[in-house]
Amino acid sequence: MKEKLDKIIIGFVFGILMPLLFGYLFLIKSYTGDLSIGELLSVMSQNSLVIKILFVASLPDMGAAFLLNTLEMWRACRGMFAALGVYILICGTFLIINSI
């Protein structure tokens, strides 16, 4: 069973989807206003808050990568780190663009 789940693509897909789900749940639970999700993201993107939420949403990925490392699922851990790299590139790009 462990060998079936120890694949780079499984770690990558899990690493991409988990922050999206965590960020969505974070917004749903913490936001109590009248705006829809699309309008809220539009307002947040003007204030660079989306970047901060992406950073917070990627924290569970780090915990999952540590867990995969502990379980010696090396390939899935590599996929998880690749997904973290994608999120870091996205956040870094937005930080550079917004600081100019």
Side-chain angles (χ1 to χ4, degrees):
M1 177 73 173
K2 183 176 170 181
E3 294 168 359
K4 287 183 180 180
L5 296 176
D6 190 19
K7 296 186 188 243
I8 292 175
I9 191 70
I10 290 175
F12 185 76
V13 169
F14 187 65
I16 292 291
L17 293 178
M18 194 165 60
L20 293 176
L21 178 66
F22 186 77
Y24 179 74
L25 291 175
F26 179 76
L27 280 177
I28 295 297
K29 293 295 181 183
S30 64
Y31 180 67
T32 58
D34 296 332
L35 297 176
S36 69
I37 293 294
E39 294 169 341
L40 178 64
L41 289 176
S42 173
V43 170
M44 288 173 58
S45 66
Q46 294 170 357
N47 298 328
S48 300
L49 293 175
V50 172
I51 301 164
K52 295 170 186 167
I53 287 186
L54 274 177
F55 274 128
V56 170
S58 65
L59 288 175
D61 261 4
M62 294 177 204
F66 176 74
L67 179 66
L68 290 171
N69 187 28
T70 304
L71 295 174
E72 297 181 358
M73 296 177 72
W74 310 120
R75 291 181 196 95
C77 187
R78 275 189 252 158
M80 188 70 67
F81 276 118
L84 273 169
V86 169
Y87 278 109
I88 289 171
L89 284 174
I90 290 170
C91 292
T93 303
F94 280 120
L95 283 174
I96 290 170
I97 289 172
N98 287 334
S99 68
I100 294 177

